[in-house]
């Protein structure tokens, strides 16, 4: 079977009045989902997930064209052009991310091959993300997510739904799960099997994993997983740097990009060494493609932040997108002797009030520490990347200041 045989021809797009703000928000959400699905498709070697990536990539192409049309119509004078130029850069960078995600998905569809060690890294890399079609007789069908209360009961979250060709990104409590919806679920290993079976009416097949006995290959896989995580963080920070016009966050994007570049160099060296000992060196082709695409995503984060680096005033259309949510990402420098110095972090949640979710810690001597489900202790001199409400962020910043 040809994995691309059901791929439709590009659709015709004509200009129609749209909210550029809404399109930008949808492009951001789509890019984040594309990254998530593409890596999960590779790690699970799941062709269904890979095809969903290509569907979503085509959707992004339409969004990108509509955004360009809207921005061109909005430019009436040199001042508008100056403010809108970085927004066009955001649109182009988001398209680059989409293309890179499509290239990652094609590793599976073109059967390029990946070492089995990639699957051994699956729990650390992306948790468990599965795709399932909602059965008409499912206990979840025709109920809202609030009514199902899936995340509270099981820890499994519905991260997106596809209804025909319509994508429901970031579904909320009032979103109804309908029969024949394609649902994308993320959650812990222990719960995902039961939820999947209840949703689809079929049993979930747990992937089998074998480890590699080639040390250089293990190092290469560990490196690519870390590159993936840093690139995802860079994209998140880049969007936030633009939305909140934050030079501090943009600078952290640059720091992450430098780190990913250094890791890419080590990754290539270990992959080439592993090829000498591999039974079938051609099976490493997919790993090389994955490394290249991951670096492309990291580089796109810099492009997203370009307007901030060049100190160009953010166009109001970008500011309007911020008002949709009170949640922000912030960068906090922890001063020695402050209330945060020595505070523990359990699964991203620090032992402080008010509560912010710590995403990552950058230590001057050690580099980046991605929190995830790990425990850590905050030290004076750390730079924290945290997510929470504006009110909590202000109070959290106060805790980071040392004694007068």
């Amino acid at each position: 079977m040809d994995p691309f045989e059901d791929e439709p021809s590009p659709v015709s797009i004509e200009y129609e009045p749209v909210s550029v703000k809404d399109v930008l928000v949808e492009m951001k959400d789509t890019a984040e989902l594309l990254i998530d699905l593409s890596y999960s498709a590779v790690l699970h070697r799941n062709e269904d997930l890979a095809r969903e990536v290509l569907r979503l990539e085509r959707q992004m192409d339409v969004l990108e064209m509509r955004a360009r049309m809207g921005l061109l119509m909005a430019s009436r004078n040199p001042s508008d052009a100056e403010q809108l130029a970085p927004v066009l850069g955001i649109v182009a960078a988001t398209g680059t991310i989409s293309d890179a995600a499509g290239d990652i998905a094609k590793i599976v569809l073109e059967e390029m091959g990946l070492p089995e060690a990639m699957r051994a890294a699956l729990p650390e890399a992306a948790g468990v993300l599965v795709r399932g079609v909602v059965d008409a007789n499912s206990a979840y069908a025709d109920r809202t997510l609030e009514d199902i209360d899936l995340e509270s009961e099981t820890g499994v979250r519905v991260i997106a739904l596809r209804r025909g060709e319509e994508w429901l990104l970031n579904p909320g409590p009032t979103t109804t799960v309908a029969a024949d919806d394609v649902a994308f679920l993320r959650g812990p290993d222990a719960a995902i099997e039961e939820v999947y079976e209840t949703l689809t009416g079929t049993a979930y097949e747990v992937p089998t994993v074998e480890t590699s006995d080639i040390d250089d290959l293990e190092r290469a896989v560990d490196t690519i997983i870390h590159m993936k995580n840093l690139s995802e963080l860079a994209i998140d920070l880049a969007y936030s740097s633009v939305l909140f016009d934050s030079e501090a966050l943009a600078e952290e994007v640059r720091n992450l990009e430098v780190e990913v570049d250094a890791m890419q160099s080590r990754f290539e060296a270990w992959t080439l060494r592993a090829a000498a000992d591999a039974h079938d060196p051609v099976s490493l082709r997919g790993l090389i493609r994955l490394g290249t695409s991951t670096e492309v995503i990291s580089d796109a984060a810099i492009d997203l932040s370009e307007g901030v680096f060049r100190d160009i005033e953010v166009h109001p259309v970008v500011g309007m997108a911020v008002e949709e949510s009170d949640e922000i990402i912030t960068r906090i420098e922890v001063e020695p002797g402050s209330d945060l110095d020595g505070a523990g972090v359990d699964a991203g949640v620090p032992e402080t009030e008010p509560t912010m979710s710590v995403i990552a810690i950058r230590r001057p001597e050690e580099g980046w520490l991605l929190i995830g489900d790990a425990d850590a202790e905050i030290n004076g001199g750390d730079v924290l990347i945290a997510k929470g409400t504006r009110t909590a962020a202000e109070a959290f910043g106060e805790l980071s200041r040392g004694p007068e």
Side-chain angles (χ1 to χ4, degrees):
M1 174 183 175
D2 182 352
F4 306 103
E5 65 182 3
D6 60 346
E7 186 171 331
S9 301
V11 297
S12 176
I13 304 172
E14 295 182 358
Y15 172 76
E16 58 184 53
V18 295
S19 165
V20 175
K21 177 206 68 173
D22 291 343
V23 174
L24 288 174
V25 170
E26 188 174 353
M27 288 185 74
K28 173 184 178 295
D29 292 342
T30 302
E32 291 170 346
L33 181 59
L34 271 164
I35 294 172
D36 214 2
L37 292 183
S38 62
Y39 282 103
S40 292
V42 166
L43 293 167
H44 288 275
R45 297 186 186 177
N46 187 311
E47 290 191 6
D48 288 334
L49 277 179
R51 290 191 183 92
E52 295 294 349
V53 171
L54 298 189
R55 282 177 179 269
L56 203 52
E57 185 185 7
R58 293 194 294 271
Q59 171 72 5
M60 180 69 91
D61 290 341
V62 174
L63 291 172
E64 185 178 355
M65 186 61 70
R66 285 182 175 157
R68 290 180 187 277
M69 290 176 177
L71 290 168
L72 288 170
M73 290 295 292
S75 183
R76 296 178 177 86
N77 53 55
S79 177
D80 282 345
E82 183 178 285
Q83 288 185 313
L84 288 171
V87 186
L88 281 169
I90 294 170
V91 172
T94 306
T96 299
I97 294 167
S98 173
D99 293 342
D103 287 341
I104 291 172
K106 288 171 186 174
I107 293 172
V108 178
L109 296 176
E110 295 176 2
E111 298 181 351
M112 295 181 70
L114 277 168
E116 198 64 31
M118 285 299 298
R119 295 177 70 139
L122 190 150
E124 293 80 13
V128 180
L129 189 155
V130 300
R131 169 198 181 275
V133 179
V134 181
D135 186 75
N137 297 318
S138 169
Y140 302 145
D142 301 317
R143 295 170 61 191
T144 65
L145 292 177
E146 183 177 34
D147 181 34
I148 297 170
D149 199 19
L150 192 62
E151 191 167 4
S152 297
E153 294 288 335
T154 67
V156 175
R157 184 166 62 94
V158 179
I159 64 171
L161 293 167
R162 180 172 61 77
R163 189 165 295 160
E165 294 301 315
E166 178 189 4
W167 287 85
L168 305 176
L169 308 175
N170 297 322
T174 60
T175 302
T176 298
V177 177
D180 296 325
D181 279 357
V182 177
F184 300 89
L185 311 173
R186 178 181 292 291
D189 246 336
I192 203 79
E193 294 180 46
E194 183 178 349
V195 171
Y196 180 87
E197 187 165 350
T198 303
L199 181 86
T200 67
T202 58
Y204 173 66
E205 296 183 9
V206 181
T208 58
V209 176
E210 297 178 11
T211 58
S212 169
D213 58 357
I214 303 176
D215 290 341
D216 285 322
L217 184 55
E218 291 285 353
R219 293 189 189 100
V221 169
D222 289 345
T223 301
I224 195 64
I225 295 305
H226 198 45
M227 286 172 62
K228 165 202 172 289
N229 292 335
L230 290 182
S231 295
E232 285 182 314
L233 176 59
I235 294 297
D236 210 357
L237 293 186
Y239 277 117
S240 295
S241 73
V242 173
L243 294 177
F244 305 112
D245 195 19
S246 170
E247 290 185 21
L249 287 179
E251 191 57 43
E252 294 303 337
V253 174
R254 198 196 300 273
N255 289 332
L256 282 163
E257 196 268 340
V258 169
E259 179 75 9
V260 172
D261 278 353
M263 297 182 75
Q264 167 76 357
S265 179
R266 296 196 295 272
F267 162 77
E268 289 174 345
W270 281 321
T271 302
L272 289 172
R273 287 174 185 161
D277 299 322
H279 173 68
D280 179 17
V282 177
S283 68
L284 301 182
R285 266 198 324 145
L287 192 59
I288 293 170
R289 164 76 68 85
L290 190 60
T292 301
S293 298
T294 301
E295 188 182 21
V296 168
I297 291 171
S298 173
D299 290 343
I302 291 288
D303 294 336
L304 285 168
S305 300
E306 184 178 15
V308 180
F309 286 127
R310 296 184 183 277
D311 198 25
I312 299 175
E313 183 181 352
V314 178
H315 192 275
V317 72
V318 178
M320 290 166 61
V322 183
E323 297 170 4
E324 300 244 323
S325 173
D326 186 47
E327 189 174 71
I328 65 170
I329 290 180
T330 187
R331 172 191 183 275
I332 295 169
E333 295 185 32
V334 180
E335 297 180 7
S338 67
D339 290 339
L340 288 181
D341 189 1
V345 179
D346 182 10
V349 180
E351 298 169 351
T352 60
E353 290 290 343
T355 298
M356 290 281 286
S357 176
V358 177
I359 303 171
I361 298 173
R362 181 169 61 80
R363 294 199 164 130
E365 302 300 325
E366 301 177 32
W368 288 91
L369 173 64
L370 300 179
I371 299 301
D373 295 325
D375 297 336
E377 183 176 291
I378 298 172
N379 300 328
D382 284 351
V383 174
L384 308 182
I385 305 297
K387 181 182 290 187
T389 64
R390 286 180 173 83
T391 303
E394 291 174 5
F396 202 60
E398 291 291 334
L399 295 178
S400 70
R401 297 185 179 91
E404 295 294 336

